[in-house]
Amino acid sequence: MNEAWYESFAPPPTARPPRAWLDSDAPRLPLDGHWRFRYAERADGPLDFTRPAFDDAGWDRLPVPAHWQLHGYGAPAYTNIAYPFPLDAPRVPDENPTGDYRHTFRLPEGWPGGPALLRFAGADSAALVWLNGVELGRAGGSRLTTEFDVTDALRPDGDNLIAVRVVQWSAGSYVEDQDMWWLSGIFRGVDLLARPEGGIGDVEVSAGYDHLTGAGTLAVAADVPARVRVPELGVDAAAGETLRLPAVEPWSAESPRLYDATVSTGAETVTLRIGFRTVRIDGGVLTVNGRPVLFRGVNRHEFHPDRGRAVTEEDMLDDVRLMKQHNINAVRTSHYPPHPRFLELCDEYGLYVVDECDLETHGFWQVGWRGNPADDPRWEAALVDRMRRTVERDKNHPSVVLWSLGNESGSGRNLAAMARWARHRDPSRPLLYERDWTCRDVDVYSRMYLPVAEVEAIGRGEEAPLPDPALDARRRGMPFIHVEYAHAMGNGPGGLAEYQRLYETYPRLQGGFVWEWIDHGLRARTPDGREYFAYGGDFGEVLHDGNFVADGLLFPDRTPSPGLLDLKKVFEPVRIAPSGDGGLTIHNGHIHSGVSKLDFRWVLEDGGEAVARGALEVGDVPPGESVRVDLPALPATAGEAHLTVRAVLAADEPWAKAGHEVAATQLPVSTTPPLAAAAPRPAGAVPLPATVPPAGGATRAGVPTATSAAVRRDGGRVRLGPGLLDERTGRLVRLGDWAVDGPRLQVWRAPTDNDRAPHGEALEPLWRAAGLDRLTHRLDGVSVTGDGAVVRVRVAPASSDGGLLTTYTWRILAGDRLGLVVEIDPDGRLPGPLPMLGVRFALPGELDQVEWFGRGPGEAYPDTGLATRVGRWFRTVADLQTPYLFPQENGRRADVRWATVTGGRGGGVRVDGRTPFGLTVRPWTAEALDRAAHPTDLAPDGRTWLTLDAGHNGIGSASCGPGVLPPYLLAPAPTHLELTLQAL
Ligand code: IPT
């Protein structure tokens, strides 16, 4: 065997023992900047570059921190589970992209002599480091800190030369198979740290809170004699003492109270921010400060579309603020410890953290888990070392409430060893690891992507038993955390509300973490310079998992997706609902705080226009309790009216301005008292009448139907009042002055990621096999009636005897309007569910603006759009499109009462529904959307495609997990759509 330095099972042998990431007054010299850089395809190039005298004048420059693949060297590659190299640990391929780095620095004026450390916060995947030609050793564990003692190698005067060789593939790559881009290099900062004699090596803070007495317990231990001071609490004590503080304010995600503290020796002062909080599992329930906690969480990878995992402080702050703004209270650091600054921000802004070790061996699943590092004794030391470095670095953060051993690494004895180590080192935090369902090594039962019914069974304590009765009994006594659920890939996820209802119902269910926070799309450009976000395969990878890397609640540029808006609604910590007796119930779902930071405001809208507004006196509501308040006195309304009650921040918070909406509910008020909530109802679920109402009489707006003279056959065309029907196609070719083409039955939708379902039950192949993407239309006849026409069309795919009989019944109405009744009847066998059922019209492309009265402003499908409200909305056609990284069905507006599509020079088309309809307006067809691989493949085709639907199939979350729940399935059944069309 000819193993290289990076092909070792052992942890980095010369690294210093891990310790907390401390904020110290000892001098620190950040070495970040533009380093000299040389790229190679192999790792066995000469090492002469490590000598200070080496001439690197011909080398390039690369920023540190950064990934070299994002600066033109090699290429990013994406695989989810598969290893992009043969499984033969600890060996890696000869083709091993390698970066050699050189950086010269001088010690600043006043730098003290004496001990010093060189610290790498993250280098992917293994580095060999020299200072002034002296080999310091190997750094490994890409997302873990490595420190080297450089006391002897450092030159007090003159130039110091750091030389580093970083390899893309190392033994460590076998335990770093996280679902993300393979990106290499020194991607977190490098620092030189002066370590004064008599300074503080490590500090460990234990700060508990007794919720019964309000007292705090504080023990700050240091590795040297030191003084601990917490001025606000009058603490001035020796390190190592345990202090009981009669009254402290506790830390929680809701009220992240921190106390500034110092730990000092004569030589060094370390600054800490202490949060008092106690995490405990009590009677099978996970508590923070004595109260059951509910995680409204997300899984967060570190990501930026230009920087990859080399995120800046501003990127981290953006994440934290956006999370807080969207009612998220918890983060799982999937699947590695984040940059340490992120945890400081979580302490400060208030987010519970499940801190996960840098461990994943998922690709061993593909070989039946043979050789899984989680169970191979040769890996034990390395895995325990990873856990140790996670816990030691992050142990002082109040935000960290659970440790996770890692992700998707099967089961095995090394996980047990990691758990033993962590439990012994830090008994104050429970342990979690999802993949070993026996839970033998952990304290919390966690699973991923379970169907609603299974989560409910766990909530009731009725899950299927484990074969081992002792383990089963132990697990049955554990709290449950849904550590990944609701896969936010593309359009969706659907069905968020169903999970949340369970989490809020069963004490054992303590919430979960949506997968995942942000799409990992890398910013790229087409040859002609148009920007898009690249995913797997876009860099020529032989093996890749396509757009499965784009499954976040944020688009790569951190624009919230419709899914994040839905999640915010579902995560509302305050619920406003009709009380059943004409008033409102305000429920405070906070665990530790009241609602005094919120103002309650209402607005009354009549036909979508605000007609009255005011404030609602709610008073404070203790955590977990509800109050009833009277509705405000409302003025009379003429049309369809809605009352919207919003809870907004009364004053600025560090993460949002006063007026930021935290929760809201909309109630219809012109309909039937007592009030029924409108907002939580999934959009699109409005029942449509099963039969056609009798013709004639009054239309919805009360306009009597016109009589007939306006129906005329004329050379292959039928004049229908304002419309002109082509007898050859059965479609309208003019409406008023507008050239139109439609209606045409629309059943196909560009499959969503959830329809395609790479890790779930896929509908797309069934739909394609049934030919729903290639339906043919056959006109069966046009008959002219006294005041209109009836058009019959059979719509069916080749090589099938199933189809849809479609009848379009036209009537001329007063006021130059046309009534259209569409009846769709399944004829023979059709697959169920169908993608959608509706009709579409081509309109002139100059009609590029849409106004509607219905749900908005965002898109909504039967099981999404929870954040939408009924109102009058306006968008350009361009702005109606949601730019999912992989083009797919998007942009539908639900429960639309009427809509206009108009153009810049005035005029357009108006559609009214007898009952609410779904509205989609695009500058391209569903078929073009289906063909595109990136949004840049789509170009407006010169027409505006108006689709009016009677229903869509739900969205679900089958891209990784369960599909659409039964109430949201679109079964093939007689369907009816009744519209009025008018040229403006
Ligand atoms: C699960 C992984 O834990 C996570 O890293 C990510 O890959 C997610 O799914 C899907 O995006 S594993 C899944 C294949 C069950």
Side-chain angles (χ1 to χ4, degrees), residues 80-81 178-179 301 332 335 360 362 407-408 435 448-449 484 487 515-516 548 551 759 960:
N80 167 16
I81 298 172
Q178 290 93 343
D179 176 9
H301 268 285
R332 174 176 177 236
H335 303 297
E360 176 158 340
H362 207 166
N407 184 59
E408 289 282 7
R435 212 24 36 172
M448 47 172 78
Y449 307 108
E484 290 179 26
H487 196 250
W515 188 268
E516 71 174 304
F548 204 64
D551 53 1
H759 287 272
C960 183

Side-chain angles (χ1 to χ4, degrees), residues 145-157:
T145 303
T146 308
E147 288 180 320
F148 298 105
D149 188 335
V150 292
T151 312
D152 295 334
L154 194 64
R155 290 197 190 129
D157 306 304

